[in-house]
Amino acid sequence: MKNEAKTPPVAHHDVFVTKIESLNKHTFQIELLAPEGTVLDYKSGQYLKLKLDVNHDGKPLWLSYTISSRLDADKANKVCLIIQVTSDFSGKVVDCLFAAKANNQPVAIMLAMGNAFLQTNHDQPHLFVAAGSGISKIKCITEELLHRNPEANINIYWSNRHSDDFFLLEQFHDWATAHKNLNFNTILESAQSGWTGRTGFLYEVIQQDYSDLKDTHAYLCGSTQMVYGTIDQLNSIGLQELNCYSDVFEFSPRTEKLEA
């Protein structure tokens, strides 16, 4: 059942880059702070846009990034992002943020956007599926769901190509230890030397653990192919697309709507 609460209106703010933390060899967690007293209002699972002159040509771009931290009433002027350097362009983005921090220059943001925010009954089973940096949204939604219902039934599946692509593992394992109904699974697409965890496509691993997903709500974060492919494969064990949430639905809607 969806929560009918309205999303906050989109607003513009100037923020400062106050912390950049390296999470692994190519992943950074960025902390942004607005002036004290500002409320950066958003729903867990939404994204914001950063305005950056990435190419240093006087033509700044608006770039979308998922907010990776839940809204904290005690620090409502803070948001965090997770950015992976996977190309020359994303490397330039991180360089711009390092420069803004070093020079104490404000960065313009616009928030919040996206329809795949946490909006489901907190007492129902939840399936969280992420590939690569898609875990950023899952982290935020997990924080919010546990805050609202520490006993929530949550199963997280996170897939990467290489074992050193994972990050924040301690945080997820701590949640799994502290919350008896939270399970956390790391997966590699194929077996690699030294890897003792699970391997395979996300839907294959999930099918090993479930026989019925009829009443489960799923949040999926990753490529268009991964999201729709996983939903289609899990339909055979009851997962319904109307119970699924993903930014992919907004950015890359199906050309033909599936039959329910």
Side-chain angles (χ1 to χ4, degrees):
M1 180 178 177
K2 290 186 179 182
N3 185 332
E4 298 300 328
K6 293 182 179 180
T7 57
V10 174
H12 290 74
H13 299 276
D14 284 337
V15 297
F16 291 88
V17 182
T18 50
K19 186 184 298 183
I20 301 178
E21 179 184 0
S22 177
L23 301 180
N24 64 24
K25 64 181 180 181
H26 52 66
T27 306
F28 298 88
Q29 183 164 263
I30 316 295
E31 181 182 274
L32 305 174
L33 277 185
E36 287 290 338
T38 304
V39 175
L40 300 176
D41 202 5
Y42 60 94
K43 299 287 188 181
S44 292
Q46 289 193 292
Y47 63 90
L48 58 69
K49 291 190 176 184
L50 283 172
K51 188 178 184 182
L52 295 174
D53 187 2
V54 179
N55 298 311
H56 304 290
D57 57 3
K59 299 177 181 178
L61 304 172
W62 284 102
L63 307 173
S64 300
Y65 292 99
T66 296
I67 300 168
S68 64
S69 54
R70 66 175 290 270
L71 179 60
D72 183 351
D74 295 328
K75 199 70 173 176
N77 63 326
K78 182 181 82 170
V79 292
C80 292
L81 313 175
I82 292 174
I83 300 178
Q84 286 192 331
V85 176
T86 57
S87 64
D88 289 342
F89 183 83
S90 54
K92 291 178 181 178
V93 170
V94 172
D95 287 344
C96 282
L97 293 170
F98 268 108
K101 179 178 183 295
N103 298 316
N104 199 34
Q105 293 178 330
V107 175
I109 66 170
M110 180 167 52
L111 85 169
M113 287 150 282
N115 299 317
F117 56 89
L118 181 62
Q119 54 194 281
T120 37
N121 186 321
H122 306 144
D123 297 324
Q124 292 180 301
H126 283 79
L127 173 66
F128 293 161
V129 184
S133 61
I135 197 67
S136 178
K137 177 194 288 284
I138 297 306
K139 173 185 176 292
C140 184
I141 293 177
T142 300
E143 287 179 350
E144 184 67 32
L145 186 51
L146 291 175
H147 175 73
R148 294 175 179 269
N149 179 12
E151 303 300 316
N153 184 329
I154 302 171
N155 286 278
I156 303 171
Y157 293 82
W158 182 16
S159 175
N160 275 299
R161 288 193 175 92
H162 306 284
S163 59
D164 57 2
D165 289 335
F166 293 101
F167 51 87
L168 294 178
L169 290 177
E170 184 176 355
Q171 172 70 85
F172 285 99
H173 287 307
D174 284 350
W175 280 334
T177 299
H179 301 274
K180 63 180 181 180
N181 293 324
L182 187 149
N183 296 295
F184 175 60
N185 302 272
T186 52
I187 305 157
L188 290 187
E189 295 177 1
S190 58
Q192 294 176 14
S193 176
W195 178 255
T196 58
R198 308 179 78 173
T199 59
F201 291 117
L202 278 159
Y203 74 85
E204 292 175 327
V205 176
I206 295 169
Q207 286 174 336
Q208 293 169 8
D209 295 347
Y210 284 91
S211 59
D212 184 4
L213 290 171
K214 181 181 178 182
D215 296 320
T216 296
H217 290 272
Y219 290 79
L220 303 99
C221 311
S223 69
T224 301
Q225 181 180 7
M226 185 282 277
V227 170
Y228 287 128
T230 300
I231 293 171
D232 292 346
Q233 291 290 340
L234 296 181
N235 182 253
S236 64
I237 55 172
L239 183 66
Q240 302 176 60
E241 189 162 320
L242 60 84
N243 287 339
C244 295
Y245 303 84
S246 177
D247 288 327
V248 164
F249 296 164
E250 181 179 349
F251 294 124
S252 302
R254 291 190 194 262
T255 53
E256 295 183 10
K257 190 172 180 64
L258 288 181
E259 294 292 333

